[in-house]
DNA sequence: AAGCTAAACTGACTGTTGGTCACCGTTTGA
DNA sequence: TCAAACGGTGACCAACAGTCAGTTTAGCTT
């Protein structure tokens, strides 16, 4: 691949500008209520111009999600260093995950939307694939944690059950978040959710240590 | 309340007819792609007529969800009789829940949509309240199960932790379902999900018996 | 500097869809 | 018998995602 020229860099900057504006709008007013014209207006471009950089509203949204997942990965990987037990790692991971996706509630809604409708969105094929790949990457991080726990002899878990546990764990986190989103009016305290996650983790980890 | 006359009954029948048609369409093609005109056409009415019976597309959808939750309650309550241990009850409940909401995948998507956007939908006030009340009722069933387990001395669980466990449990179920929806192409086998739920339950129940 | 090309950009336009409303025929009951 | 109420109609409206013919701008060539 040739080096990127100025044009490419400018193009990329524009994309980022649009994404940033869209992000702000989506997180403030929610995905649906924001129109493409709103986004265009915010970056002082015409609607048509936005379509030069993205295939549509949905792709903008997908790109925001992708960027955020990447950011999450950047934040989450360092925690593997400096933590002793697998229990600690898994606990830290859970809290980071919950905190991350509750920082802006709309982000979690967007994530769930993509999970629920997976292959049913009209995105450019490659965007769709990237969404699936990146999400799976995030999921597979938890898989590594379980493996780590087994290797350390901390978890009593058959190798073939890792996948199952990974799913259960991941699902549990998403489930708790969405439930809180549903029950909690906007006033829901983060601490409430944290304690819920903690309680759940305790049982989960306890079970991992005991059961096979 | 006065007895319902013929007019009322006919009106109700019409509503049910519309709901049934809408249900079929939603479950076949998904919520978004189905237009109000499609629904109207299917029941051989004009679009305007549909709006005489429902405030809009969203309310039709909400009503379908409400009816299904009611149906679920009807199916789930009998299981309390004839089962001995709380573990059995909770296991049965979990499987019924998963089976029920995976029978038609769109139903689960609809449920999640309402959970995620809770108060952000423009529904008639009373419909909105009913959605929240009915969902909470379903959630509180699990609360009763935990209570039952404690009363029987089967679960070692502080009374003030019931709510937390209920949330964790409920969230876990929804999370697993949505994860499978995401990962599984349409071919996903029900058995796969069941085994996942089972594994998760084992740990969960084990934890409930052990931890405090 | 003038001429040229391609990319960036515009905004009026289209198509679709959720929702509204003035109007019409039928039933009802006084 | 007749008017009010009711069930129903379908043309219409507004909002919005997405398109495209045409205009401007940037940068290159001679």
């Amino acid at each position: 691949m040739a080096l990127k020229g100025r044009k490419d860099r400018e193009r990329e900057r524009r994309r980022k500008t649009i994404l940033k504006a869209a992000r702000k709008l989506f997180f403030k007013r929610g995905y649906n209520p924001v129109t493409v014209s709103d986004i265009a207006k915010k970056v002082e471009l015409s609607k048509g111009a936005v379509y030069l950089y993205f295939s549509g509203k949905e792709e903008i949204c997908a790109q925001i999600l992708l960027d955020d997942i990447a950011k999450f990965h950047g934040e989450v990987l360092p925690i593997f260093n400096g933590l002793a037990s697998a229990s600690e790692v898994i606990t830290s991971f859970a809290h980071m995950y919950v905190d991350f996706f509750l920082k802006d509630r709309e982000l979690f809604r967007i994530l769930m939307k993509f999970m629920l409708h997976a292959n049913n969105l009209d995105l450019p094929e490659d965007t769709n694939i990237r969404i699936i790949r990146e999400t799976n990457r995030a999921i597979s991080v938890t898989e590594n944690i379980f493996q780590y726990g087994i290797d350390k002899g901390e978890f009593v878990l058959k190798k073939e059950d890792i996948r199952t546990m990974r799913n259960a764990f991941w699902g549990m986190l998403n489930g708790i978040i969405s439930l809180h989103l549903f029950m909690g009016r906007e006033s829901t305290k983060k601490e409430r959710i944290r304690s819920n996650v903690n309680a759940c983790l305790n049982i989960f980890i306890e079970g991992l240590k005991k059961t096979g």
Side-chain angles (χ1 to χ4, degrees), chain A residues 4-161:
Chain A
K4 284 178 188 173
R6 178 174 58 79
K7 275 296 173 63
D8 286 316
R9 289 198 307 275
E10 276 177 2
R11 190 179 159 77
E12 203 140 307
R13 243 196 40 199
R14 261 261 186 283
R15 265 181 75 99
K16 283 207 180 115
T17 312
I18 294 171
L19 280 176
K20 214 169 147 187
R23 210 188 130 87
K24 223 174 222 168
L25 289 172
F26 286 156
F27 286 8
K28 186 173 174 188
R29 310 215 300 262
Y31 176 75
N32 280 320
V34 173
T35 70
V36 179
S37 298
D38 289 337
I39 298 170
K41 197 183 288 174
K42 185 145 190 179
V43 290
E44 292 175 294
L45 283 174
S46 70
K47 186 154 63 133
V50 172
Y51 281 89
L52 291 175
Y53 293 93
F54 296 94
S55 74
K57 193 181 170 187
E58 205 122 76
E59 202 210 338
I60 296 177
C61 184
Q63 197 53 59
I64 290 171
L65 181 61
L66 276 173
D67 288 351
D68 271 33
I69 294 181
K71 194 174 153 224
F72 176 69
H73 277 133
E75 289 179 13
V76 93
L77 290 184
I79 71 167
F80 280 98
N81 313 322
L83 286 178
S85 68
S87 306
E88 278 180 297
V89 177
I90 213 171
T91 305
S92 300
F93 178 86
H95 283 299
M96 287 191 74
Y97 185 79
V98 173
D99 286 353
F100 190 85
F101 281 97
L102 274 183
K103 217 183 323 151
D104 290 291
R105 279 147 189 257
E106 193 62 20
L107 182 62
F108 183 72
R109 292 205 183 92
I110 289 171
L111 173 70
M112 287 311 278
K113 183 184 140 182
F114 279 97
M115 289 190 68
L116 289 171
H117 296 102
N119 292 304
N120 253 36
L121 301 161
D122 50 344
L123 291 168
E125 189 55 27
D126 66 310
T127 304
N128 208 351
I129 289 173
R130 264 162 60 214
I131 284 268
I132 292 174
R133 177 156 38 80
E134 286 304 297
T135 311
N136 278 332
R137 191 152 77 94
I139 294 176
S140 79
V141 170
T142 60
E143 198 165 323
N144 292 338
I145 301 178
F146 286 120
Q147 185 60 58
Y148 175 65
I150 295 174
D151 292 345
K152 282 199 66 170
E154 199 175 335
F155 295 155
V156 187
L157 188 60
K158 272 173 268 163
K159 194 166 179 75
E160 63 264 33
D161 287 337

Side-chain angles (χ1 to χ4, degrees), chain A residues 190-204:
Chain A
K190 277 247 174 78
E191 291 71 40
R192 193 84 159 291
I193 302 178
R194 284 187 84 92
S195 93
N196 230 309
V197 173
N198 267 330
C200 211
L201 280 176
N202 284 342
I203 284 192
F204 201 84

